[in-house]
Amino acid sequence: MAEQVQVFGFWESPFSRRVELALKLKGVEYQYFEEDLPHNKSDLLLKYNPIHKKVPVLLHHGKPIAESLVILEYIDDIWKESYPILPHHPHQRALARFWAKFIDDKVVVAVVKAAGSRGEDREKAIKEAREALETLEKEIEKSNKLFGGDDIGFVDIVGTVIAGWIPAIEECFGFQLLTTDNFPNLIKWSDQVVNHSIVNQILPPKTEIVAFMKANWKF
Amino acid sequence: MAEQVQVFGFWESPFSRRVELALKLKGVEYQYFEEDLPHNKSDLLLKYNPIHKKVPVLLHHGKPIAESLVILEYIDDIWKESYPILPHHPHQRALARFWAKFIDDKVVVAVVKAAGSRGEDREKAIKEAREALETLEKEIEKSNKLFGGDDIGFVDIVGTVIAGWIPAIEECFGFQLLTTDNFPNLIKWSDQVVNHSIVNQILPPKTEIVAFMKANWKF
């Protein structure tokens, strides 16, 4: 199996880690190629993702797929039987896609903007990020469970960028986004996610993320 | 059927028109609610899309779904048998999702930025938009067909924003993005799309889009 499934990734990339998490949840073996980022992209990465030139890339039987959400859908399409990632019911599936898109379009964009700006621009981006996180807080409060219900699902996989990376960004850039006082349900969800036995294997330690960001996130 | 399927849309919105196009291709009857945008959003729109407060919203058996790409996936999930929108093969399906995301994230974002800026910022955005369109030009050149093959598919539906709206934006804002010289395949694709018997029914006339933009796109 492993030689048919290959992942081009980078240890610190939350997008790349999503793909590995999905494969591990499914019990799919894969061959992993660690890219030397941010400066030495391999020829294979550039060959397989010529449009965006970014990790992650999934190669299945030699055919490449890029973009983490697209890859997660593909993994769920191919290995249907083992560990469903997207909900079975079409309306639930649509909601999962909606929230995954929300996390990438609203939370990630605002957090990266906050990290990369100063002064008023940073304050504005922090406000945007908190508003997006409040929307998620309300959503997760409704069910008091993981987004995927009792098991890690599509939105939880995508949300590892919040659970695993936001604490490192807060430490690295010196601003606070998630506090137990304001986000009790999101913090509870986040604890459940990071302590999950498989997520735990794929999340880089916070200290290493912070060290990488300090060395490489030059704004 | 019509009372079970409702669309909250707006005639000038390319995102809202995608949903109607998908339903028409599938032959699904629906009840249409025209929103009075940009200023008088209905209480129902705010109720059904409280997160983004935007069209389109699809209501199916009373359950709302927002975000045009998410809605298109849902429509294809529910009405599987009639007129497939996404390709059947998982790798082809992944590629369709990749290109749809590319159109929204790269082409639409850059074109809107170009329309909303001046001077150097506009020049930069126009360059970004042209680069994204060149990527599509090369992709469509490979097959010399529609993105969906012989029939309008997922990427073509999403791409109506290019075929139907870019000419209006060019006229309205006085810059040129798509020329036959530089984009022969994209122009040929665009002609095929806008002349398709069903797309033709849902695309607003260019003059009306231009008039709406002139009146409402205040930057």
Side-chain angles (χ1 to χ4, degrees):
Chain A
M1 175 82 80
E3 72 281 5
Q4 301 167 355
V5 184
Q6 299 170 323
V7 175
F8 292 78
F10 182 62
W11 68 273
E12 195 272 340
S13 161
F15 308 103
S16 162
R17 292 297 189 165
R18 288 173 181 172
V19 172
E20 289 191 81
L21 175 54
L23 291 170
K24 281 187 195 290
L25 288 168
K26 292 269 187 192
V28 175
E29 287 180 36
Y30 59 94
Q31 194 181 2
Y32 181 74
F33 296 87
E34 174 76 358
E35 288 291 322
D36 179 14
L37 297 187
H39 301 301
N40 300 309
K41 293 176 182 178
S42 73
D43 290 343
L44 285 178
L45 178 65
L46 301 177
K47 174 182 168 188
Y48 292 132
N49 188 3
I51 310 298
H52 299 302
K53 304 177 175 65
K54 281 183 182 169
V55 295
V57 171
L58 179 81
L59 209 65
H60 188 213
H61 294 297
K63 290 185 179 173
I65 302 165
E67 294 280 1
S68 66
L69 299 191
V70 175
I71 297 172
L72 295 182
E73 295 257 8
Y74 179 82
I75 290 171
D76 209 34
D77 266 356
I78 293 287
W79 295 280
K80 276 190 205 308
E81 306 308 324
S82 52
Y83 199 96
I85 289 173
L86 279 152
H88 175 69
H89 189 281
H91 188 257
Q92 292 300 318
R93 193 151 65 241
L95 292 182
R97 287 176 176 136
F98 175 90
W99 287 112
K101 189 170 163 53
F102 181 85
I103 289 172
D104 276 2
D105 291 356
K106 298 295 172 183
V107 181
V108 172
V109 167
V111 171
V112 170
K113 215 193 290 173
S117 56
R118 296 288 175 274
E120 268 181 40
D121 288 345
R122 173 171 284 181
E123 290 310 313
K124 200 178 148 210
I126 288 176
K127 190 165 170 278
E128 276 172 30
R130 284 198 189 126
E131 281 168 3
L133 289 166
E134 272 159 29
T135 302
L136 282 181
E137 168 72 15
K138 282 178 201 152
E139 188 58 23
I140 198 79
E141 190 181 8
K142 283 185 204 163
S143 69
N144 202 22
K145 288 185 175 183
L146 292 161
F147 283 99
D150 293 322
D151 295 313
I152 297 277
F154 192 61
V155 185
D156 304 295
I157 295 172
V158 174
T160 51
V161 69
I162 297 171
W165 275 261
I166 282 189
I169 287 176
E170 289 177 324
E171 185 174 319
C172 187
F173 295 94
F175 55 78
Q176 187 108 32
L177 294 171
L178 282 176
T179 54
T180 318
D181 282 356
N182 294 330
F183 297 96
N185 294 288
L186 213 48
I187 293 282
K188 193 175 146 197
W189 162 83
S190 181
D191 287 344
Q192 270 183 281
V193 169
V194 298
N195 290 315
H196 180 278
S197 62
I198 298 181
V199 178
N200 193 272
Q201 293 170 36
I202 68 103
L203 282 187
K206 185 178 148 186
T207 50
E208 291 181 22
I209 302 177
V210 171
F212 177 81
M213 284 177 177
K214 284 194 172 167
N216 293 285
W217 281 37
K218 309 279 186 206
F219 292 111
Chain B
M1 175 82 82
E3 71 281 5
Q4 301 166 355
V5 184
Q6 299 170 322
V7 175
F8 291 78
F10 182 62
W11 68 271
E12 195 273 339
S13 161
F15 308 103
S16 161
R17 292 297 188 166
R18 289 173 180 172
V19 172
E20 288 190 81
L21 175 54
L23 291 170
K24 282 186 194 292
L25 287 167
K26 293 268 186 191
V28 175
E29 286 179 38
Y30 59 94
Q31 194 180 3
Y32 180 74
F33 296 87
E34 173 76 358
E35 288 291 323
D36 179 14
L37 298 185
H39 301 301
N40 299 309
K41 293 176 181 178
S42 73
D43 291 343
L44 285 178
L45 178 65
L46 301 177
K47 174 182 168 187
Y48 292 132
N49 188 2
I51 311 298
H52 299 301
K53 304 178 176 67
K54 281 182 181 169
V55 295
V57 171
L58 179 80
L59 209 66
H60 187 213
H61 294 298
K63 290 184 178 174
I65 302 165
E67 294 279 1
S68 67
L69 299 191
V70 174
I71 297 172
L72 295 182
E73 294 257 7
Y74 179 83
I75 289 170
D76 209 33
D77 267 356
I78 292 286
W79 295 280
K80 277 191 205 308
E81 305 309 324
S82 52
Y83 199 97
I85 289 174
L86 279 151
H88 177 69
H89 190 279
H91 188 256
Q92 292 300 319
R93 193 150 64 239
L95 293 182
R97 287 177 175 135
F98 175 90
W99 288 112
K101 188 170 162 53
F102 180 86
I103 289 171
D104 276 2
D105 291 358
K106 299 293 172 187
V107 181
V108 172
V109 167
V111 171
V112 170
K113 215 194 290 174
S117 56
R118 295 290 176 272
E120 268 182 40
D121 288 344
R122 173 172 284 181
E123 288 311 312
K124 201 178 148 208
I126 288 175
K127 190 166 172 277
E128 278 171 29
R130 283 198 188 126
E131 281 168 5
L133 290 165
E134 272 160 27
T135 302
L136 282 180
E137 168 72 16
K138 283 178 200 152
E139 187 58 25
I140 198 79
E141 190 181 9
K142 284 185 204 164
S143 69
N144 203 21
K145 287 184 176 182
L146 292 162
F147 284 98
D150 293 321
D151 294 313
I152 297 276
F154 192 61
V155 184
D156 304 295
I157 294 172
V158 173
T160 50
V161 69
I162 297 171
W165 276 260
I166 282 189
I169 287 177
E170 290 176 325
E171 184 174 321
C172 188
F173 295 95
F175 54 77
Q176 186 108 31
L177 295 171
L178 283 176
T179 54
T180 318
D181 283 357
N182 295 330
F183 298 96
N185 294 289
L186 214 46
I187 294 282
K188 192 174 146 199
W189 161 83
S190 181
D191 286 344
Q192 271 184 280
V193 169
V194 299
N195 290 315
H196 180 278
S197 62
I198 297 182
V199 178
N200 193 273
Q201 293 170 35
I202 68 104
L203 283 187
K206 185 177 149 187
T207 49
E208 291 181 22
I209 302 178
V210 170
F212 177 81
M213 285 178 176
K214 285 195 172 167
N216 292 285
W217 282 35
K218 307 281 186 205
F219 292 110

